[in-house]
Amino acid sequence: MKDHDYRLKPLLTKREREVFELLVQDKTTKEIAQQLFISEKTVRNHISNTMQKLGVKGRSQAVIELVRLGELKI
């Protein structure tokens, strides 16, 4: 049973999920930063970390992949 544990761990952190949920609402980096009370740099870091996890280049590819994986609803 131990080898199935990886499925239980969500792909995204809570914060990465929040960033992408706002991203699909057509929010800018600046708007996301203001809404979450974090810096624009931090928003970009969350986006780039997520893109790395998914092995994609670009925000839109990340969104498509997250939707496909059921990690994000649009």
Side-chain angles (χ1 to χ4, degrees), residues 20-31:
F20 272 88
E21 282 170 353
L22 292 169
L23 207 56
V24 296
Q25 292 170 36
D26 228 20
K27 301 262 191 252
T28 64
T29 303
K30 186 176 187 169
E31 289 167 333

Side-chain angles (χ1 to χ4, degrees), residues 2-18:
K2 203 73 181 139
D3 51 340
H4 295 298
D5 288 355
Y6 68 93
R7 289 198 196 139
L8 304 174
K9 188 179 185 298
L11 180 65
L12 300 180
T13 65
K14 180 176 179 287
R15 192 53 112 183
E16 289 166 347
R17 184 176 309 282
E18 289 170 338

Side-chain angles (χ1 to χ4, degrees), residues 23-46:
L23 207 56
V24 296
Q25 292 170 36
D26 228 20
K27 301 262 191 252
T28 64
T29 303
K30 186 176 187 169
E31 289 167 333
I32 294 169
Q34 289 170 341
Q35 198 164 334
L36 298 178
F37 304 102
I38 58 179
S39 73
E40 290 179 54
K41 171 105 176 79
T42 303
V43 172
R44 288 193 294 273
N45 287 343
H46 285 310

Side-chain angles (χ1 to χ4, degrees), residues 27-74:
K27 301 262 191 252
T28 64
T29 303
K30 186 176 187 169
E31 289 167 333
I32 294 169
Q34 289 170 341
Q35 198 164 334
L36 298 178
F37 304 102
I38 58 179
S39 73
E40 290 179 54
K41 171 105 176 79
T42 303
V43 172
R44 288 193 294 273
N45 287 343
H46 285 310
I47 293 167
S48 111
N49 290 343
T50 303
M51 290 183 338
Q52 237 176 341
K53 284 184 196 180
L54 295 168
V56 298
K57 289 181 169 52
R59 296 173 178 207
S60 49
Q61 266 188 295
V63 168
I64 291 164
E65 193 59 16
L66 289 170
V67 170
R68 191 184 69 75
L69 293 168
E71 289 282 335
L72 195 62
K73 305 269 184 281
I74 49 171

